[in-house]
Amino acid sequence: MPETRPQTRRQKVEKKEQAIIAAARVIFQKNGFEKAKIADIAKSSGVAEGTVYTYFENKNALLFAVAVEFYDRLTRDAALGIKDISITYERLQFLARHHLERVSKEWQMLALAMLPDKVSNEYRKTEGYQLNRTYVEVFDTVIREGINRGEIRSDIPLSVVRDIFYGGLEYGARTMRIHASTTDIDQTITHFMEVLKGGIFQQINQQKPQDESLEKMMSRLESATAKLEAIAR
Amino acid sequence: MPETRPQTRRQKVEKKEQAIIAAARVIFQKNGFEKAKIADIAKSSGVAEGTVYTYFENKNALLFAVAVEFYDRLTRDAALGIKDISITYERLQFLARHHLERVSKEWQMLALAMLPDKVSNEYRKTEGYQLNRTYVEVFDTVIREGINRGEIRSDIPLSVVRDIFYGGLEYGARTMRIHASTTDIDQTITHFMEVLKGGIFQQINQQKPQDESLEKMMSRLESATAKLEAIAR
DNA sequence: CAGTATATTTGAATATGTTTCATTTACAAG
DNA sequence: CTTGTAAATGAAACATATTCAAATATACTG
C-alpha cells in the first residue's frame, strides 16, 4: 500500500501548516508585523523556530499566507452576501457594511496586506495584486450590472468609483477606530450611501417628480419586505 | 561673551540635524522604512552611527521628524493655494489636485506617516494625529464655509465627507501608480469632482421636499433591513 | 594663550531578531 | 527490522538597531 491511512503524513503536515498560520494571524494582529517575533509564533503553534522556515520561506511569506486566508474569507462572504440581493443600491449597501465591519475588526490585516513593500513587493507583487483583484471583482460586477440596468451612471470610470468606495470606507474605518465613541457603523454607512446616491447613482426623478418616484420606492419597499419574508420563512 | 559669533555652535548643530533629516528622507523614500539602515543614513549625512542617536531618540523618531517636514510643506501649500480661490467647487478641485500630485510623488511618505504602528503609536499618537489634523483643517474649513454659503449639503457629517475625499484620493493615487499608462491625473480629478458634485454639493433643482423626506425614510428602512439581514445570517 | 569644563562625536560592544544548516527524529515501504 | 526520505530541531551565523565609555571639539576663564 502506497498510503496506509490515506495521507496520515500529509494530513499532519497540513494541520501543522494551518496551526502556524493561525498563530501568526493572532500574533500579527496583536503586535503588528514588525514587533511579531518568529520565536513567539513558533512557540504558540508548538514547533521549533526552524520548523517555521520549512513551511514558509521567510516572515513575509508567512504574512502573505495569512493575507491569502483573510482575503479568501473576505471575498467569499462578499460574493455570498450579494447573491440574493437584486437592487444595486442594496447590494452596495451590503458590500459597504461588510467591508467596514471586517476592516474595523481586522484592520491590521488590511493595512499589512496592502503595504506595498511588505506582501506585494517584487515577485509577490502580482500575487498580492491578484488577491485584491479577486475581492474587488465582486464590487466591479455589481457596478457593471448597475450601469447596464441604468441604475448607475455610466460616465464615471469604474476605477474611480471603486477608489472612492473602498478608499472612503478605509478612511471611515480609521475614523471609527480613532473616535470610537462618537461614530457608529450605522450612521457611517447611512451617510456614506447618501453621498454615493448623489454621486454615482443615476438621478432618476429629475424630471418626472411625484408618482413615478413613489412607485419606484414602493418597489424597493416590496423587495425589502420580500427579503425579510424569505429570512423569516 | 556668552556667545562669540551668535550661535556659531547652535548653527552647526542645527545644520547637522537638517542634514540627517534630509538624508533620512531620501533613504526612506528609496528603500522604505524597514529596509533603510541607520548606517546608511549616517554615512550619507557624513556622521557616525552613534551621532544619529544624539539627535533622534531612535529610528521612529527620525521618521517622525521627516514626516513633520513633509506635512509642514503639504499644509502650507494647501493653505496658500486656496487663498485666492473663492468658489467652493474650485477650492476643492485645487485641494484634490494638490493632494493627488503630492501623494503620487511622495506616496512613501504618506504611507509611512500614516502607519499606525510607526509614527503614531504610543506617546507619539497625539503628535502624529495632530500633524494630520492641521493638514485636514484646511479642507475642513473649506467645507464648513461651503455649508454656510449653501454650496455644500449640510446633512452629511464633515468626517464622512473628509474620509471620502482623502480616502478616495489616496486610493486614486495608488491606481495611478499601478496603472500609470492608462490613468492620468486630469481625468482622475475630473471624474472625482464629478462624483463629489453629485454627492456632497447642494443640488439646485433637485426634487420636491416631500419627495426628499420620503427618500430619507426609504433609506432608513433599507438600512434597518440590512441590519436585520446581518443579524439573521 | 594655556587650562578647564562642557558639549558633541565616535565606533566598538551589546541586544534583539531573522534565517541557515548540520543533525536528529519520525515515518513509510520492503 | 532496516533503510531511505521527509520533517523537525535548535544552536550558530548573520543583520541591524541601540548603547556607552572614551575621544574630540568647542567655548570660556584667568
Side-chain angles (χ1 to χ4, degrees):
Chain A
M1 265 193 251
E3 317 274 279
T4 335
R5 312 273 180 55
Q7 277 101 327
T8 287
R9 189 163 194 164
R10 174 169 283 166
Q11 281 177 335
K12 254 185 89 175
V13 161
E14 213 121 287
K15 215 171 93 188
K16 200 166 282 189
E17 177 167 331
Q18 287 310 314
I20 294 174
I21 293 178
R25 181 180 60 237
V26 171
I27 292 187
F28 283 158
Q29 285 186 355
K30 187 157 57 194
N31 305 336
F33 182 72
E34 314 301 340
K35 289 192 205 148
K37 284 175 270 189
I38 295 288
D40 289 344
I41 294 169
K43 195 186 316 181
S44 167
S45 49
V47 302
E49 290 183 45
T51 307
V52 173
Y53 287 87
T54 65
Y55 286 86
F56 303 96
E57 191 189 335
N58 53 34
K59 203 180 170 188
N60 276 2
L62 182 51
L63 171 62
F64 186 69
V66 174
V68 167
E69 206 218 18
F70 172 74
Y71 265 104
D72 280 352
R73 270 185 295 140
L74 198 63
T75 304
R76 186 160 28 75
D77 292 348
L80 226 64
I82 61 160
K83 222 171 146 187
D84 17 55
I85 307 177
S86 53
I87 295 156
T88 300
Y89 183 87
E90 290 175 9
R91 287 178 158 190
L92 289 185
Q93 194 170 45
F94 170 83
L95 287 182
R97 172 176 289 272
H98 171 255
H99 191 77
L100 198 52
E101 278 172 352
R102 290 300 174 86
V103 168
S104 295
K105 203 178 295 295
E106 311 193 53
W107 61 280
Q108 308 255 23
M109 263 305 90
L110 197 64
L112 292 177
M114 294 298 226
L115 230 44
D117 275 324
K118 292 261 129 351
V119 161
S120 37
N121 69 334
E122 297 145 37
Y123 66 102
R124 207 157 294 151
K125 193 174 293 169
T126 321
E127 292 178 72
Y129 180 66
Q130 283 312 325
L131 274 188
N132 186 62
R133 207 85 200 84
T134 308
Y135 172 50
V136 176
E137 189 54 39
V138 177
F139 173 84
D140 286 5
T141 302
V142 168
I143 296 296
R144 284 199 208 92
E145 279 190 34
I147 291 175
N148 284 339
R149 296 184 198 166
E151 297 181 65
I152 302 273
R153 41 193 296 200
S154 57
D155 59 332
I156 311 285
L158 178 49
S159 67
V160 172
V161 175
R162 191 198 304 128
D163 287 340
I164 290 175
F165 190 83
Y166 286 107
L169 287 176
E170 188 175 323
Y171 271 53
R174 198 171 57 207
T175 295
M176 285 177 52
R177 221 181 303 133
I178 297 177
H179 301 117
S181 50
T182 56
T183 47
D184 83 308
I185 199 166
D186 289 320
Q187 287 299 308
T188 303
I189 293 284
T190 302
H191 293 126
F192 184 74
M193 290 304 294
E194 194 62 27
V195 173
L196 285 194
K197 190 177 351 181
I200 73 168
F201 278 82
Q202 201 66 255
Q203 302 305 338
I204 27 185
N205 36 20
Q206 203 86 312
Q207 304 299 334
K208 308 178 180 178
Q210 300 288 26
D211 284 9
E212 195 168 317
S213 71
L214 272 179
E215 183 55 46
K216 273 221 166 79
M217 285 194 242
M218 222 26 235
S219 315
R220 282 158 64 189
L221 174 58
E222 280 161 357
S223 145
T225 309
K227 201 166 329 150
L228 284 179
E229 276 181 326
I231 290 168
R233 166 188 41 140
Chain B
M1 264 190 252
E3 316 276 277
T4 334
R5 311 274 179 56
Q7 277 101 327
T8 287
R9 189 165 194 161
R10 174 169 282 166
Q11 280 176 335
K12 252 186 92 174
V13 161
E14 212 123 287
K15 214 171 93 185
K16 202 166 281 190
E17 177 168 332
Q18 287 310 314
I20 294 174
I21 293 179
R25 182 180 59 238
V26 172
I27 293 187
F28 282 158
Q29 285 187 355
K30 187 157 59 195
N31 305 335
F33 181 72
E34 314 301 339
K35 288 192 206 149
K37 284 174 270 188
I38 295 288
D40 289 344
I41 293 169
K43 194 186 316 180
S44 167
S45 48
V47 301
E49 290 183 46
T51 306
V52 174
Y53 286 87
T54 66
Y55 286 86
F56 303 96
E57 190 189 336
N58 54 34
K59 203 180 169 187
N60 276 2
L62 182 51
L63 171 62
F64 186 70
V66 174
V68 167
E69 206 218 18
F70 172 74
Y71 265 105
D72 280 352
R73 269 185 296 140
L74 198 64
T75 304
R76 185 161 31 73
D77 294 348
L80 226 64
I82 62 161
K83 221 172 148 186
D84 16 55
I85 307 178
S86 53
I87 296 159
T88 300
Y89 183 87
E90 289 174 9
R91 285 178 159 190
L92 289 184
Q93 193 168 41
F94 170 83
L95 288 182
R97 171 175 290 273
H98 171 255
H99 191 77
L100 198 53
E101 278 172 352
R102 290 300 174 85
V103 168
S104 295
K105 203 178 293 298
E106 312 193 52
W107 61 280
Q108 307 255 23
M109 262 307 89
L110 198 64
L112 292 177
M114 294 298 227
L115 231 44
D117 275 324
K118 291 262 129 354
V119 160
S120 35
N121 69 335
E122 297 144 35
Y123 65 101
R124 208 157 294 151
K125 191 174 294 169
T126 321
E127 292 179 72
Y129 179 66
Q130 283 312 326
L131 274 189
N132 186 62
R133 206 85 199 83
T134 308
Y135 173 50
V136 293
E137 188 56 38
V138 177
F139 173 84
D140 286 5
T141 302
V142 168
I143 296 295
R144 283 200 208 93
E145 279 189 34
I147 291 176
N148 284 340
R149 297 183 199 167
E151 296 180 65
I152 302 273
R153 37 192 299 200
S154 58
D155 59 333
I156 311 287
L158 179 50
S159 68
V160 172
V161 175
R162 191 198 305 129
D163 288 340
I164 290 175
F165 191 84
Y166 285 106
L169 286 177
E170 188 175 325
Y171 271 53
R174 198 171 58 209
T175 297
M176 285 177 52
R177 220 181 303 134
I178 297 177
H179 301 117
S181 50
T182 55
T183 46
D184 83 308
I185 198 166
D186 289 321
Q187 286 300 307
T188 304
I189 294 284
T190 302
H191 292 127
F192 185 74
M193 290 305 294
E194 193 62 29
V195 173
L196 285 194
K197 190 173 0 180
I200 73 167
F201 278 82
Q202 201 66 255
Q203 301 305 323
I204 347 147
N205 54 357
Q206 189 67 315
Q207 304 136 321
K208 304 266 179 183
Q210 199 186 15
D211 229 357
E212 202 169 320
S213 72
L214 273 179
E215 181 63 20
K216 241 176 206 138
M217 288 192 248
M218 201 50 221
S219 300
R220 282 162 57 196
L221 176 59
E222 282 168 347
S223 151
T225 310
K227 215 176 312 175
L228 285 177
E229 269 187 314
I231 289 167
R233 86 179 17 253

